[in-house]
Amino acid sequence: MANFYEEVKTELKEALKVIDKSQYYDLLTKPKQIITVNFPVKMDDGSTRIFTGYRVLHNSTLGPGKGGIRYHFAVCLEEVEALAALMSLKCALLDLPFGGAKGGVEVNPKELSEKELENLTRAFTRAICNNIGPDTDIPAPDVYTNAQTMSWIVDEYSKIKGKFTPAVVTGKPLDLGGAVGRNESTGLGAVYVMEEIMQIEGINKPTIAIQGLGNVGKHFAKFAAERACRVVAVSDSKGGIYNPKGLDLDEVFRVKEETGSVVNCEVEKITNEELLELEVDFLVPAALEDQITKKNANKIKARIVLEAANGPTTPEGEAILIKKGLRVIPDILVNAGGVTGSYFEWYQNKHNEKWTLEKFNSELEKKMKKAAREVYETRLERKVSCRKAALILSIQRILDKIK
Ligand code: NAD
């Protein structure tokens, strides 16, 4: 991840050049606020350990900061800064009244007991409690944090402020003010983007290969299959499976649930590398960053790469794909259904509303398809890649508000 923020900054610099606004480079790359906290946590054996955590508020021009908190041993300030910048761009692209933020704690959560994780979350909340809030900066789950983590933050924050404040975070359990539809919204949002592209590009009943069958990949597969798309390959960290006639997804989900991996299905096995090289309409990387690089980009045969994960294509990889005539639909558009769902949750909390699943999904569909259309229009207008078009739209929204 060492070059991640440099890559984001380079992309921003190039997009600013296209619209002749290079003078705003510092404003868009220097975060508004960076907080580093070292805080004590009581461990099960009675000892106390000091952990380091970060919260970066990248930009709050469009509204309060919005972005997840991740628990990972490799978390570092540079990564958190890059992810916070991407959040500002994602929120602007989807026209949400949020700025961008991100947080993280340097910890291997697999080494901690449930009680220690609770202690850590509460201590981190106390350490940053004056910098988060429903109108300043609103965290959400990210890598190795979940609805339970959000419950602890709500509880600790509410105790400190003397008032039950569910809108301080999103991604909460339903009985604490969470929203129906939020959990599936990243995968479903990506399907809405795909549907809009199918309409624009005249694609029918596409074939799809999905790398990663976690929260995003699984929901993407399910909702895509419901729309007459043919999911021919899926994978997880142990490997992939392939059936050119289309996979029986109910069976795949059952085997994954029961045995921990899709490779235990009675279907042809393929490696993750082979999955990326399949000839399909949509290749959907939904696992990790840096999967399509200058090493394998030449072997990619999909028509369109739909970036459901954050940062799955490196800039060199993307340059090769574009030269070959492939389309790359960028992460800040494709996986923005998650933060859009978070906005719906926050909005319901603030206005004391409870939406039905139908309303939630129909609002999500409107937002995702509009953003996808706008990216395509800007791509044609400016004669740039979809990623650059998405960045230009985001930057312009932030700069217009500043004016
Ligand atoms: P997850 O942990 O639920 O799932 C990740 C999946 O990837 C798992 O199935 C895992 O087995 C698989 N995987 C891990 N290593 C792999 C490898 N080497 N090859 C193939 N598969 C591998 O994560 P998630 O929440 O689904 O997130 C996936 C991506 O989407 C991440 O980049 C994340 O930042 C991004 N994202 C997620 C959300 C969300 O709402 N969950 C929102 C926006 C972006």
Side-chain angles (χ1 to χ4, degrees), residues 65-245:
K66 188 86 196 78
I69 291 178
R70 100 175 16 181
Y71 289 173
H72 199 268
F73 64 89
V75 158
C76 65
L77 187 54
E78 208 220 11
E79 180 192 53
V80 178
E81 282 182 274
L83 291 166
L86 286 181
M87 286 306 296
S88 291
L89 298 164
K90 222 177 265 188
C91 293
L93 182 62
L94 269 291
D95 221 352
L96 306 177
F98 287 143
K102 201 80 182 187
V105 177
E106 287 174 24
V107 56
N108 183 352
K110 291 181 183 167
E111 286 175 355
L112 267 58
S113 70
E114 181 83 353
K115 184 68 200 153
E116 288 169 335
L117 277 175
E118 177 177 349
N119 291 347
L120 176 126
T121 304
R122 289 181 184 277
F124 185 49
T125 306
R126 288 193 293 277
I128 61 169
C129 71
N130 290 327
N131 304 95
I132 58 171
D135 299 306
T136 44
D137 180 355
I138 309 142
D142 194 68
V143 175
Y144 290 121
T145 55
N146 53 28
Q148 174 63 73
T149 323
M150 297 304 111
S151 310
W152 292 325
I153 296 179
V154 170
D155 190 50
E156 195 64 27
Y157 184 87
S158 299
K159 271 190 211 157
I160 297 165
K161 301 292 172 187
K163 184 177 164 216
F164 178 53
T165 316
V168 66
V169 292
T170 57
K172 301 177 288 287
L174 290 183
D175 53 11
L176 253 193
V180 277
R182 166 65 184 85
N183 192 37
E184 302 83 22
S185 61
T186 310
L188 180 57
V191 168
Y192 287 142
V193 169
M194 179 178 72
E195 278 190 314
E196 192 61 26
I197 292 168
M198 283 163 57
Q199 169 140 36
I200 298 171
E201 304 251 3
I203 301 172
N204 267 318
K205 298 190 178 165
T207 49
I208 301 176
I210 305 169
Q211 185 200 40
L213 212 62
N215 181 293
V216 179
K218 182 180 171 183
H219 291 122
F220 181 90
K222 174 177 166 283
F223 292 118
E226 282 171 9
R227 286 159 174 79
C229 303
R230 187 153 36 108
V231 179
V232 296
V234 296
S235 69
D236 55 36
S237 56
K238 300 209 171 69
I241 49 172
Y242 174 56
N243 181 350
K245 293 196 179 119

Side-chain angles (χ1 to χ4, degrees), residues 178-307:
V180 277
R182 166 65 184 85
N183 192 37
E184 302 83 22
S185 61
T186 310
L188 180 57
V191 168
Y192 287 142
V193 169
M194 179 178 72
E195 278 190 314
E196 192 61 26
I197 292 168
M198 283 163 57
Q199 169 140 36
I200 298 171
E201 304 251 3
I203 301 172
N204 267 318
K205 298 190 178 165
T207 49
I208 301 176
I210 305 169
Q211 185 200 40
L213 212 62
N215 181 293
V216 179
K218 182 180 171 183
H219 291 122
F220 181 90
K222 174 177 166 283
F223 292 118
E226 282 171 9
R227 286 159 174 79
C229 303
R230 187 153 36 108
V231 179
V232 296
V234 296
S235 69
D236 55 36
S237 56
K238 300 209 171 69
I241 49 172
Y242 174 56
N243 181 350
K245 293 196 179 119
L247 294 163
D248 174 352
L249 287 177
D250 286 339
E251 177 63 7
V252 173
F253 296 153
R254 186 190 65 76
V255 172
K256 167 100 177 140
E257 179 77 28
E258 282 174 14
T259 71
S261 175
V262 298
V263 295
N264 300 312
C265 289
E266 302 283 321
V267 198
E268 183 186 338
K269 313 281 178 289
I270 53 171
T271 64
N272 263 297
E273 291 72 32
E274 286 165 340
L275 180 140
L276 293 174
E277 294 163 17
L278 288 173
E279 199 170 335
V280 285
D281 292 305
F282 287 96
L283 171 63
V284 186
L288 307 167
E289 62 279 353
D290 294 346
Q291 292 305 292
I292 303 175
T293 65
K294 61 180 175 194
K295 283 197 190 130
N296 64 353
N298 251 323
K299 297 186 202 149
I300 308 286
K301 297 180 211 70
R303 189 164 163 186
I304 295 174
V305 175
L306 202 65
E307 291 189 335

